[in-house]
Amino acid sequence: MKQHIETWVIRDIGLTEFDHWAPVIRFGNRLSIRVSIIACIMVAAMLVCLWSLNVLRNPLLHDITIGCAITVIVAYSLTMLSSMYMGYAVIHLARTRREFQQMSRTDMLSGLLNRRAFIEDISRVEHGHLLILDIDRFKQINDRYGHLAGDDVIIAVAQTLRETIKAPHLAARVGGEEFAVLFCGLDHGEMMQIAEKLRRMVAGRLIDSMQQTISVTVSGGIADFTPTRDFSAVYAAADRALYLAKTSGRNRLHHERDLGRSPQQEQPIYGTLADRGDAAFTAA
């Protein structure tokens, strides 16, 4: 009996997402009604017992009516008030949890997805295109203008990514000056068009930093996801295409298809995505 009552009273708790006030009010109202019904049954049972002992001075129906009316008001009000206090605390915890989850997935400098979040989101992809972008001669920017200017460059490139790459596509900062883009639901031509637009926008953007105007370019390597290739294989192909773009003049994009037509088949110098940290800088 006790288990059935508990299930009936609180069965919605596990099914309700307490992230804003509307579900809290709905839950509080349902809980208050159920508690009021149980309280009325208990009061009515007590009054019947008292009536059987000849303790009541008024007719039984009269006392049950008055007792249940008072019980409904008190039980509903107290339960609803308690639900509101509980809901406020749970909403605050839910929002805090979402903020922490968002922070754990976001690169703090660029505002894009960080390396770990990007790998998690991309690990289940079977179809799509992976673009790896690297800021050209980034070490020279740091040496000439300072690391604060380097940070401004990263922020500017990230802003260009946000302006160009929209859902369902993903953009992330996966290394010091390296970014990654996952294109979803596009054919080869559409993907290349957006990728080239992104490259041109970065090259045409003037960045004001440290009382200087800086312009940068990016090089990129692209590889395709297929059901038979895992993430490591796709990333390795994109990394080799990026190396080809770097060694063939920078400020350009190369697809993995270009590797077979190039006489340069050296190993890329960048390593794997899993090996690099967000703060690592390369001297490309």
Side-chain angles (χ1 to χ4, degrees):
M1 181 66 178
K2 176 178 177 292
Q3 182 178 0
H4 290 297
I5 293 176
E6 289 177 351
T7 302
W8 183 63
V9 171
I10 64 174
R11 64 183 178 183
D12 293 330
I13 290 180
L15 303 177
T16 305
E17 292 293 334
F18 292 125
D19 54 357
H20 55 281
W21 278 111
V24 171
I25 293 175
R26 288 196 298 268
F27 169 77
N29 186 60
R30 288 194 296 267
L31 181 61
S32 299
I33 292 174
R34 293 167 184 169
V35 170
S36 299
I37 292 173
I38 293 174
C40 285
I41 293 174
M42 295 176 64
V43 168
M46 292 175 57
L47 290 174
V48 169
C49 292
L50 293 175
W51 176 79
S52 64
L53 297 174
N54 294 322
V55 175
L56 299 181
R57 297 183 179 181
N58 300 311
L60 176 61
L61 183 60
H62 174 272
D63 286 347
I64 288 178
T65 301
I66 298 298
C68 288
I70 296 174
T71 298
V72 167
I73 295 173
V74 174
Y76 186 92
S77 300
L78 289 178
T79 306
M80 195 67 178
L81 184 61
S82 299
S83 299
M84 292 299 100
Y85 277 113
M86 180 192 71
Y88 174 80
V90 174
I91 287 174
H92 178 73
L93 290 175
R95 290 175 178 173
T96 302
R97 182 184 63 181
R98 285 201 306 272
E99 291 174 359
F100 276 117
Q101 289 177 338
Q102 183 65 25
M103 289 175 60
S104 69
R105 291 174 49 84
T106 303
D107 175 71
M108 299 307 295
L109 179 60
S110 66
L112 301 173
L113 289 176
N114 59 28
R115 177 173 55 93
R116 180 175 62 84
F118 186 74
I119 293 175
E120 289 176 354
D121 291 348
I122 206 174
S123 60
R124 296 179 294 272
V125 172
E126 294 185 352
H127 300 281
H129 311 276
L130 176 65
L131 166 64
I132 303 296
L133 287 174
D134 192 87
I135 301 174
D136 295 326
R137 296 185 173 89
F138 186 73
K139 185 177 184 301
Q140 295 180 14
I141 296 173
N142 280 331
D143 293 341
R144 181 176 180 181
Y145 301 106
H147 288 280
L148 292 179
D151 289 347
D152 290 337
V153 168
I154 290 173
I155 293 170
V157 173
Q159 179 62 34
T160 305
L161 279 166
R162 280 194 296 272
E163 294 170 357
T164 310
I165 306 302
K166 305 296 184 181
H169 316 307
L170 299 176
R173 181 186 177 209
V174 295
E177 70 272 27
E178 189 170 300
F179 300 84
V181 177
L182 171 65
F183 293 103
C184 301
L186 299 178
D187 60 30
H188 180 81
E190 293 172 329
M191 178 274 300
M192 290 300 298
Q193 184 177 7
I194 297 176
E196 281 291 344
K197 176 184 176 182
L198 174 61
R199 182 193 61 79
R200 291 193 300 268
M201 288 181 64
V202 172
R205 187 166 197 150
L206 298 179
I207 305 166
D208 294 323
S209 176
M210 309 300 292
Q211 300 181 344
Q212 300 283 341
T213 299
I214 306 172
S215 61
V216 298
T217 60
V218 292
S219 300
I222 305 169
D224 300 328
F225 280 92
T226 65
T228 59
R229 301 174 74 185
D230 60 13
F231 168 75
S232 298
V234 176
Y235 183 84
D239 206 31
R240 289 193 297 270
L242 170 60
Y243 179 71
L244 175 60
K246 287 286 190 179
T247 56
S248 59
R250 297 183 174 87
N251 190 25
R252 63 194 65 201
L253 304 177
H254 274 298
H255 192 273
E256 61 177 326
R257 298 174 185 175
D258 301 329
L259 294 171
R261 297 192 294 267
S262 171
Q264 303 183 30
Q265 294 296 319
E266 301 177 28
Q267 292 295 322
I269 61 176
Y270 302 103
T272 64
L273 181 59
D275 293 335
R276 291 195 302 275
D278 286 353
F281 287 83
T282 62

